[in-house]
Amino acid sequence: QPMSDSKPAAAPRAVQQPRWWLPVLLLSGCWALAFSVLTSAAASANLAAASLTDASGLTSFPLAAITFTSGLYNLVLPHEIGVLGRYRTYLAGAAVGAGGCIVCWAAMVAESLALLLVGCVFVGIGLSHSQNYRFGVMQCVPEAQHPIAISWVLAGGVAGAILGPEYSKHTRNLITSVPFGGTFLVSAGCFGALILLLVVGALALKDLMKRPVAKEPMRVASDGTAKDEPNEAATALPPRRLAVIYSEPRTLAATLVASLCYASMVFLMSAVPLAMAGGAAPLFSFEQSSIVVQIHMVSMFAPSFVTGHLIRKFGVPAMQVAGALVLIFGSVLSLAVPQTELANYASSQAMVGLGWNWCFITATAGLQRSLRPTERTRVQALNDLAVFSSSGVASLVSGTALRNIGWTGMNVAGIGVAAAIVAIAVTAELAARRVPPRHAAAVAGAETEPAQPV
């Protein structure tokens, strides 16, 4: 009799386990395509603007428009997801992004900086949707696998980091009469391929077609099979007010760390092509600056293959501090190596990418753990609003900062931001450990807070 009972248990394991990883791989591929557009924009968008205007203060506006719009659109994204579900929302975002790339191409044909900025706004909206993939994948996998799933989705950025700058180099003058026109058309094609991948993988992504519900993700039974049994206490809990949610030290730290590390990374990365161009007498070629951007982008996502495991081993606070220390080391390298050396930009940007990876993925995982299921869509969007708005501002001022304080001054500022991340991570963890057990249980979902008057 025991033997007959044990056989059926093995069947669900073989059938259900692939559904955990197939959505991860599909969304990783989607992120690779979307991120190739972003890396291409990082390498060429500001240079495209420089070919349209002599005003140096305006040359950083295209990339700033993309990043700033990516943040602001998160005010709308929760409502869109609530109406359409994540799957249809992702399809709509890719379509808008493709249209934005075509508008950018038209702007280069018309030699219009204003139209280029309009196109970049729509590209930013498309990329805002793709940034949500790291949250969407958690709707498809067991809760215990969230850090690894986030890491593997973002690991698709490795392919995007190589593809984007590479096709930018080869398509910059593809249409000789329209500089960068070919680059924007290829970017539109990447969004088109993303739509195709979502359509082909529709069956594996069926969990994303549901509207977000107050239910815990699948749990893992002792035999390795999926147990789709919601926690009744958690599903009964209503969402808390934002003020209550962000009164928790770890929740606040997650958003602050993600925002600061992203802003610092964008602040330095946006200025790299302009700093390497060196004005009227270029120090380095476009191909060389594209290689540096490529190295930086690969460093941002290649560590994702192990970052999830590191989070599980060392914990969120330790990995946030480690990431911030790597960011400091990257800026110190830039200060130590002469600016006339390619190694100045390549080595420092590699370290900045690695530090960003550890800080950002850790902050994403930490945020998810601090929320009730009913709160996740709204708070995730608010988190991304803070992250990408701050990075948009950082990109907007990077050109002016490069002109006024130089590459050295920008790296000193980067050290200051990284030091702030260390302080936030340590302070939040110490504060969280002083939270009374009763209050901590309520946050976890064991108790509800008193009802608030309407």
Side-chain angles (χ1 to χ4, degrees):
Q1 182 65 32
M3 291 182 62
S4 63
D5 291 340
S6 62
K7 289 182 180 179
R13 183 177 185 178
V15 174
Q16 292 185 10
Q17 192 167 356
R19 66 176 284 204
W20 303 348
W21 289 104
L22 193 53
V24 174
L25 295 176
L26 284 168
L27 289 175
S28 182
C30 290
W31 174 240
L33 290 166
F35 193 66
S36 69
V37 175
L38 180 57
T39 56
S40 173
S44 58
N46 289 349
L47 292 175
S51 70
L52 299 177
T53 180
D54 295 327
S56 59
L58 299 178
T59 55
S60 62
F61 276 31
L63 190 56
I66 291 173
T67 53
F68 200 67
T69 304
S70 295
L72 283 180
Y73 194 78
N74 281 283
L75 292 171
V76 179
L77 197 57
H79 304 287
E80 188 178 353
I81 291 173
V83 173
L84 300 178
R86 291 188 193 268
Y87 179 77
R88 292 182 180 85
T89 297
Y90 293 165
L91 283 173
V96 172
C101 292
I102 293 174
V103 172
C104 289
W105 166 79
M108 300 309 296
V109 172
E111 298 183 353
S112 170
L113 177 61
L115 188 59
L116 177 63
L117 294 177
V118 171
C120 287
V121 166
F122 286 105
V123 172
I125 292 174
L127 292 175
S128 178
H129 290 72
S130 64
Q131 294 281 2
N132 195 265
Y133 297 162
R134 73 188 196 279
F135 292 125
V137 73
M138 290 186 279
Q139 196 170 318
C140 307
V141 302
E143 187 172 9
Q145 303 299 330
H146 282 178
I148 294 176
I150 296 167
S151 296
W152 277 81
V153 168
L154 291 180
V158 175
I162 296 172
L163 179 63
E166 198 64 31
Y167 77 66
S168 295
K169 288 190 293 185
H170 295 292
T171 59
R172 178 189 183 187
N173 297 312
L174 183 64
I175 305 174
T176 55
S177 60
V178 186
F180 298 100
T183 302
F184 289 122
L185 289 179
V186 173
S187 294
C190 287
F191 273 121
L194 196 163
I195 293 173
L196 180 62
L197 188 57
L198 286 172
V199 171
V200 171
L203 184 61
L205 298 173
K206 61 182 181 180
D207 286 334
L208 297 181
M209 298 182 187
K210 305 170 186 174
R211 291 177 56 187
V213 293
K215 143 182 183 174
E216 283 195 353
M218 292 181 296
R219 297 182 177 275
V220 185
S222 58
D223 63 352
T225 60
K227 288 179 66 178
D228 195 2
E229 298 176 1
N231 182 310
E232 293 180 4
T235 56
L237 291 175
R240 296 167 292 169
R241 292 180 292 113
L242 288 175
V244 175
I245 294 171
Y246 274 102
S247 68
E248 302 302 327
R250 287 170 177 158
T251 307
L252 181 60
T255 296
L256 288 177
V257 168
S259 299
L260 289 174
C261 78
Y262 218 118
S264 177
M265 179 273 294
V266 169
F267 180 68
L268 294 172
M269 183 267 295
S270 297
V272 164
L274 299 174
M276 294 183 69
L283 296 173
F284 302 97
S285 66
F286 174 75
E287 287 72 22
Q288 287 175 310
S289 66
S290 294
I291 290 173
V292 170
V293 171
Q294 211 167 31
I295 291 172
H296 169 77
M297 296 295 184
V298 170
S299 298
M300 286 175 64
F301 294 101
S304 297
F305 294 106
V306 297
T307 300
H309 297 283
L310 292 175
I311 294 172
R312 294 175 69 175
K313 182 174 182 179
F314 298 107
V316 169
M319 289 302 297
Q320 288 176 340
V321 171
L325 293 177
V326 173
L327 288 173
I328 291 174
F329 181 61
S331 291
V332 170
L333 270 179
S334 184
L335 296 175
V337 180
Q339 294 182 25
T340 55
E341 299 291 334
L342 184 63
N344 173 293
Y345 303 95
S347 60
S348 65
Q349 286 299 296
M351 291 298 100
V352 168
L354 173 60
W356 174 89
N357 179 277
W358 285 357
C359 285
F360 188 67
I361 292 180
T362 303
T364 300
L367 180 71
Q368 184 75 3
R369 292 175 181 177
S370 67
L371 302 175
R372 297 173 181 174
T374 52
E375 299 165 346
R376 288 172 181 166
T377 300
R378 180 179 55 152
V379 178
Q380 287 164 358
L382 181 63
N383 177 79
D384 277 3
L385 171 64
V387 168
F388 297 110
S389 295
S390 61
S391 63
V393 172
S395 178
L396 190 65
V397 302
S398 64
T400 301
L402 181 64
R403 185 174 67 253
N404 292 332
I405 63 176
W407 184 241
T408 298
M410 292 182 72
N411 278 279
V412 171
I415 292 174
V417 173
I421 292 174
V422 173
I424 291 169
V426 173
T427 303
E429 184 61 20
L430 293 176
R433 292 182 181 184
R434 291 195 295 267
V435 173
R438 176 183 175 87
H439 184 58
V443 173
E447 296 179 29
T448 58
E449 68 183 53
Q452 301 294 328
V454 178

